[in-house]
Amino acid sequence: MEGSQEQQLPSRRPRSATTTNWAGNYAYRARAVHAPSTLEQVRRIVAAAPQIRVLGSRHSFTDIADAAELVSLAGVLADVIVDREAMTVTVGGGVRYGELALELGREGLALANLASLPHIAVAGAVSTATHGSGDANGNLATAVAELELVTSDGRVVRAARGDRDFDGLVVGLGAIGAVTRITIDVEPAYQMRQRVFEGLPWDDLFEHFDAITSSGYSVSVFTRWRETVDQVWLKSRAESDTLGDTLFGAVAATEHRHPILGLDAVNCTPQLSTPGPWSERLPHFRMGFTPSSGAEIQSEFHVPRRHGVAAIAAVLGLAPRIRPVIQVSEIRTVAADALWMSPQYGQDTVAIHFTWAPEPDAVRRALIEVERALAPFGARPHWGKLFLAGADEIGRRYERLDDFRALLDRFDPRGAFRNDWLTGHVLGDDRRRPAGSLADG
Ligand SMILES: Cc1cc2nc3c(=O)[nH]c(=O)nc-3n(C[C@H](O)[C@H](O)[C@H](O)COP(=O)(O)OP(=O)(O)OC[C@H]3O[C@@H](n4cnc5c(N)ncnc54)[C@H](O)[C@@H]3O)c2cc1C
């Protein structure tokens, strides 16, 4: 490939950092990985490939990012441009939130929210509607003000909030084009505090769910589905911590904690109510340290907020069967939005997350039960995590799916960005599957 480095992936699938996702549970089957350094190279690579996907920071847990050819944007258009009048920042799609936070810190600026880890690339996170927590906080895609995309014919397309297609493009599942630049809302930098409360009785969670999730700017409930809820993490933007030493029946921790009990809290952001910058309190995990356990598979399901307590109770009913394979679950809240393929489209949600042991067969068995239990609540899976439901089921839960399908037909008429994951879980039977795709062997 002219002007770019092309790296051949071995045809067999060794578990190595370059050929598997972060978790190591998926080995990419792509025949080539491109690493362009200019926009012009991205355009030529995309236009020439029969089937292609952008590979982000590889933190998804499935084949969502796989295709016959992959292109990494980590080394392209990475400069950070702040617009103080518009209060936005524009970055390359391959930039990680942790890197962006450092730049914003120097400018005295901040983002409204972050995921549990700063390690993930901005465009990959946004494409899958990655989220943090907070009753009033939308997912990370809701902060996007403008996108620059390279479409499958090599054109550069820009869309801004308010444009006709914008709400369909942002959570694009990697299927619209290569997001080369992304503009995000910023606000003045702020300080936060984080506290952990331990041993919340289940009855308290069920009876006071709204009071608990609204007791901080961002609240996460961690449980292994045992006798009590293990931990509640409260992230507060208040100047001073007005909380007492108890939160209903839970008691404030007196030491730093890891969400997975027994793991070293050195990997985690500071707690114990010590004030610090937004970027060092909103994520649970610190840049430069392993997030979560490092040996795991993750799944997550979003249910409408009005069904949140019933959905949590339904999963608690499965406790004896999921406990053997669970490391921890996290329950968060995410505000409604208008982005067509966002799990929060038109509804405030409660997110029920599972960090499983790295045992694919046992996880599959547990997922059958979890998905059956959550189906009556219209659960929408996290696009970047492992789920089993196929397009027939998922499609019914997305009222703008036909509009999204039409958008794909317009932006990618030759179907270069369509892959097996998209066909299997979102589009169903797909007449535009590209020739030369992985499905052709
Ligand atoms: C330890 C851990 C913790 C996590 N915590 C959270 C959390 O707190 N909240 C949450 O919601 N999720 C969380 N996730 C999930 C994660 O945020 C998503 O899987 C996200 O998609 C990862 O982004 P990525 O760039 O690594 O994705 P990849 O797996 O590289 O790509 C994901 C998708 O985005 C597409 N894509 C990537 N870059 C581009 C681009 N420039 N243009 C177009 N498409 C692109 C890919 O083609 C693919 O379809 C976590 C994952 C891990 C491993």
Side-chain angles (χ1 to χ4, degrees), residues 169-380:
L169 293 173
V170 183
V171 180
L173 309 180
I176 313 247
V179 177
T180 41
R181 299 282 288 169
I182 193 160
T183 302
I184 306 174
D185 298 332
V186 294
E187 56 188 276
Y190 52 91
Q191 293 273 300
M192 293 192 76
R193 297 162 187 270
Q194 175 166 242
R195 281 182 98 181
V196 174
F197 292 84
E198 300 179 287
L200 182 75
W202 282 105
D203 285 349
D204 282 355
L205 181 70
F206 292 141
E207 276 168 41
H208 307 291
F209 188 76
D210 291 343
I212 289 168
T213 66
S214 64
S215 58
Y217 178 74
S218 164
V219 176
S220 289
V221 173
F222 289 98
T223 178
R224 291 167 299 162
W225 308 102
R226 299 187 185 197
E227 293 67 30
T228 58
V229 173
D230 295 322
Q231 305 177 26
V232 182
W233 287 41
L234 295 188
K235 297 170 195 279
S236 157
R237 282 178 73 159
E239 289 296 311
S240 60
D241 187 342
T242 51
L243 294 163
D245 285 338
T246 58
L247 178 75
F248 297 97
V251 178
T254 52
E255 289 173 25
H256 295 282
R257 293 283 184 234
H258 191 290
I260 302 177
L261 284 175
L263 294 193
D264 195 337
V266 73
N267 294 5
C268 298
T269 49
Q271 301 148 33
L272 303 175
S273 202
T274 319
W278 61 280
S279 54
E280 293 171 25
R281 297 296 180 277
L282 281 171
H284 307 324
F285 303 107
R286 296 163 67 192
M287 195 78 176
F289 291 78
T290 300
S292 197
S293 84
E296 66 200 65
I297 298 171
Q298 294 185 13
S299 306
E300 188 167 27
F301 301 91
H302 298 270
V303 297
R305 175 144 193 153
R306 66 184 183 284
H307 296 318
V309 166
I312 296 166
V315 177
L316 185 59
L318 302 174
R321 293 205 280 287
I322 61 176
R323 260 186 221 139
V325 72
I326 196 86
Q327 300 193 56
V328 79
S329 272
E330 180 176 10
I331 298 165
R332 289 176 277 189
T333 56
V334 192
D337 62 47
L339 306 175
W340 301 352
M341 297 307 287
S342 159
Q344 283 74 43
Y345 178 80
Q347 58 186 26
D348 290 338
T349 60
V350 172
I352 308 177
H353 156 102
F354 302 83
T355 297
W356 306 109
E359 297 167 22
D361 293 340
V363 169
R364 196 160 278 273
R365 285 194 294 276
L367 272 178
I368 291 171
E369 305 238 20
V370 168
E371 292 190 18
R372 193 183 295 140
L374 293 181
F377 306 109
R380 295 172 177 171

Side-chain angles (χ1 to χ4, degrees), residues 22 53-61 64-65 73 93 115-117 120-121 123-125 127-131 173-174 177-179 291-292 296 298 300 332 382 384-385:
W22 172 86
R53 277 257 157 174
V54 179
L55 187 60
S57 48
R58 297 181 293 109
H59 281 70
S60 294
F61 290 85
I64 183 174
L73 302 183
S116 68
L117 73 176
I120 47 178
S127 299
T128 58
T130 290
H131 60 94
L173 309 180
V179 177
S292 197
E296 66 200 65
Q298 294 185 13
E300 188 167 27
R332 289 176 277 189
H382 188 309
K385 302 187 181 181

